[in-house]
Amino acid sequence: MKATLKGRYDPDKSSSVASLAAGIGDVKLRATVTDATVVKGPSLNGLTLALEKPGFFIIDYDVPKKDVRFQFMNTIRVAEKPLNLTYIHSRGDNRTILDGALVFDSANKVSANYMVGTGNCKVKYTYTHGGVTTFEPCYDFGKNSWDFSIARKVYGDDVFKAIYQTSNQHLGLEWSRNSMLNGFKISASFNLSEESIVPKLSAETTWNLEM
């Protein structure tokens, strides 16, 4: 069994999420609760149950909303290159998303994300230089604009990342760490279109426990 606790802190609102996962053969069962589940006494608010077979499917059930989300994954070969395909459908809002990623090699990948029935489609190219620095230009057809990001690994597990969205002149900076025991992410976002550029800060912490 594996337990995960995640907390998020920002000036406007703080929140927390806890999950407990157990493996049965090659299938995982997971229960997730938020602070809304325990605040004002135990309730079903924020409770989600999931059934997952890694690499094949994930079925999420939102208990209070009685909503189901299906996610199916598969990999096929295109010109001897792996094409990772994902189909996501949320029954409650009747939304379907198709996602694909063609991996050319360890340094180059092209991915696309499309929401069925809308003009929301994004195409992203990912290039990793020396296994340390990652460049990701992304074109959003719905907004007719580009997004750019650059990330660099430092100090082993730490990653510094900068993201710029041309549609709203939004600049984001992140410092994160992922490890088997715990991790964190500190973010600062700026709206460069405003006269007074005041950063919006937030922080996340994650703790993992094997039982």
Side-chain angles (χ1 to χ4, degrees), residues 119-122 139-147 165-168:
N120 296 333
C121 179
K122 294 182 179 181
Y139 185 73
D140 189 329
F141 286 88
K143 297 179 180 179
N144 192 29
S145 64
W146 286 91
D147 297 336
Q165 299 173 344
T166 60
S167 60
N168 53 12

Short mmCIF file of all heavy atoms in Angstrom, two decimals, residues 119-122 139-147 165-168:
data_model
loop_
_atom_site.label_atom_id
_atom_site.label_comp_id
_atom_site.label_asym_id
_atom_site.label_seq_id
_atom_site.Cartn_x
_atom_site.Cartn_y
_atom_site.Cartn_z
N GLY A 119 -12.64 23.68 -30.93
CA GLY A 119 -11.42 24.05 -31.65
C GLY A 119 -10.19 24.01 -30.78
O GLY A 119 -9.13 24.52 -31.16
N ASN A 120 -10.33 23.42 -29.58
CA ASN A 120 -9.22 23.38 -28.64
C ASN A 120 -8.25 22.26 -29.02
O ASN A 120 -8.49 21.09 -28.76
CB ASN A 120 -9.73 23.16 -27.22
CG ASN A 120 -10.58 24.32 -26.74
OD1 ASN A 120 -10.42 25.44 -27.19
ND2 ASN A 120 -11.49 24.04 -25.82
N CYS A 121 -7.17 22.64 -29.65
CA CYS A 121 -6.14 21.67 -30.06
C CYS A 121 -4.77 22.29 -29.84
O CYS A 121 -4.54 23.46 -30.20
CB CYS A 121 -6.32 21.30 -31.54
SG CYS A 121 -5.08 20.13 -32.15
N LYS A 122 -3.88 21.53 -29.21
CA LYS A 122 -2.52 21.99 -28.96
C LYS A 122 -1.53 20.98 -29.52
O LYS A 122 -1.73 19.77 -29.39
CB LYS A 122 -2.27 22.16 -27.45
CG LYS A 122 -3.08 23.26 -26.80
CD LYS A 122 -2.74 23.39 -25.32
CE LYS A 122 -3.52 24.50 -24.65
NZ LYS A 122 -3.15 24.63 -23.22
N TYR A 139 1.94 25.20 -29.79
CA TYR A 139 1.01 26.07 -30.52
C TYR A 139 -0.41 25.70 -30.15
O TYR A 139 -0.83 24.53 -30.25
CB TYR A 139 1.20 25.96 -32.03
CG TYR A 139 0.34 26.94 -32.79
CD1 TYR A 139 0.65 28.30 -32.79
CD2 TYR A 139 -0.79 26.52 -33.48
CE1 TYR A 139 -0.14 29.22 -33.46
CE2 TYR A 139 -1.59 27.43 -34.16
CZ TYR A 139 -1.25 28.77 -34.16
OH TYR A 139 -2.04 29.68 -34.82
N ASP A 140 -1.18 26.69 -29.71
CA ASP A 140 -2.58 26.51 -29.32
C ASP A 140 -3.46 27.02 -30.47
O ASP A 140 -3.55 28.22 -30.71
CB ASP A 140 -2.86 27.30 -28.03
CG ASP A 140 -4.23 26.99 -27.45
OD1 ASP A 140 -5.17 26.69 -28.22
OD2 ASP A 140 -4.37 27.04 -26.20
N PHE A 141 -4.12 26.07 -31.18
CA PHE A 141 -4.96 26.46 -32.32
C PHE A 141 -6.20 27.20 -31.85
O PHE A 141 -6.73 28.05 -32.57
CB PHE A 141 -5.36 25.22 -33.13
CG PHE A 141 -4.24 24.65 -33.95
CD1 PHE A 141 -3.38 23.71 -33.40
CD2 PHE A 141 -4.05 25.05 -35.26
CE1 PHE A 141 -2.35 23.17 -34.15
CE2 PHE A 141 -3.02 24.52 -36.02
CZ PHE A 141 -2.16 23.59 -35.47
N GLY A 142 -6.73 26.87 -30.66
CA GLY A 142 -7.91 27.56 -30.16
C GLY A 142 -7.67 29.02 -29.90
O GLY A 142 -8.52 29.87 -30.20
N LYS A 143 -6.49 29.37 -29.36
CA LYS A 143 -6.15 30.76 -29.06
C LYS A 143 -5.29 31.39 -30.15
O LYS A 143 -5.00 32.59 -30.09
CB LYS A 143 -5.38 30.84 -27.73
CG LYS A 143 -6.20 30.38 -26.53
CD LYS A 143 -5.36 30.48 -25.26
CE LYS A 143 -6.15 30.04 -24.05
NZ LYS A 143 -5.35 30.11 -22.80
N ASN A 144 -4.87 30.58 -31.14
CA ASN A 144 -4.01 31.06 -32.21
C ASN A 144 -2.77 31.74 -31.65
O ASN A 144 -2.42 32.87 -32.01
CB ASN A 144 -4.77 32.01 -33.14
CG ASN A 144 -4.02 32.32 -34.43
OD1 ASN A 144 -3.24 31.49 -34.91
ND2 ASN A 144 -4.24 33.49 -34.99
N SER A 145 -2.10 31.04 -30.72
CA SER A 145 -0.96 31.64 -30.04
C SER A 145 0.05 30.56 -29.66
O SER A 145 -0.25 29.36 -29.67
CB SER A 145 -1.41 32.39 -28.78
OG SER A 145 -1.97 31.47 -27.84
N TRP A 146 1.25 31.02 -29.29
CA TRP A 146 2.34 30.14 -28.89
C TRP A 146 2.55 30.20 -27.38
O TRP A 146 2.37 31.24 -26.76
CB TRP A 146 3.64 30.54 -29.58
CG TRP A 146 3.70 30.17 -31.03
CD1 TRP A 146 3.31 30.94 -32.09
CD2 TRP A 146 4.18 28.95 -31.59
NE1 TRP A 146 3.52 30.28 -33.27
CE2 TRP A 146 4.06 29.05 -32.99
CE3 TRP A 146 4.72 27.79 -31.04
CZ2 TRP A 146 4.44 28.02 -33.85
CZ3 TRP A 146 5.10 26.76 -31.88
CH2 TRP A 146 4.97 26.87 -33.27
N ASP A 147 2.96 29.06 -26.83
CA ASP A 147 3.46 28.98 -25.46
C ASP A 147 4.87 28.41 -25.53
O ASP A 147 5.16 27.54 -26.36
CB ASP A 147 2.59 28.08 -24.59
CG ASP A 147 1.17 28.60 -24.44
OD1 ASP A 147 0.97 29.82 -24.61
OD2 ASP A 147 0.27 27.79 -24.16
N GLN A 165 3.32 32.44 -21.85
CA GLN A 165 2.15 32.34 -22.71
C GLN A 165 1.97 33.66 -23.46
O GLN A 165 1.76 34.70 -22.84
CB GLN A 165 0.90 32.03 -21.88
CG GLN A 165 0.99 30.72 -21.12
CD GLN A 165 -0.19 30.51 -20.18
OE1 GLN A 165 -0.92 31.46 -19.87
NE2 GLN A 165 -0.38 29.28 -19.74
N THR A 166 2.09 33.61 -24.77
CA THR A 166 2.02 34.85 -25.55
C THR A 166 0.60 35.41 -25.61
O THR A 166 0.43 36.62 -25.80
CB THR A 166 2.52 34.60 -26.99
OG1 THR A 166 1.69 33.60 -27.61
CG2 THR A 166 3.96 34.13 -26.98
N SER A 167 -0.43 34.57 -25.44
CA SER A 167 -1.82 35.04 -25.57
C SER A 167 -2.19 36.05 -24.49
O SER A 167 -2.92 37.00 -24.75
CB SER A 167 -2.79 33.86 -25.53
OG SER A 167 -2.68 33.16 -24.30
N ASN A 168 -1.70 35.84 -23.28
CA ASN A 168 -2.03 36.77 -22.18
C ASN A 168 -0.79 37.36 -21.51
O ASN A 168 -0.90 37.96 -20.44
CB ASN A 168 -2.88 36.05 -21.13
CG ASN A 168 -2.22 34.77 -20.65
OD1 ASN A 168 -1.04 34.51 -20.91
ND2 ASN A 168 -2.98 33.95 -19.94
#
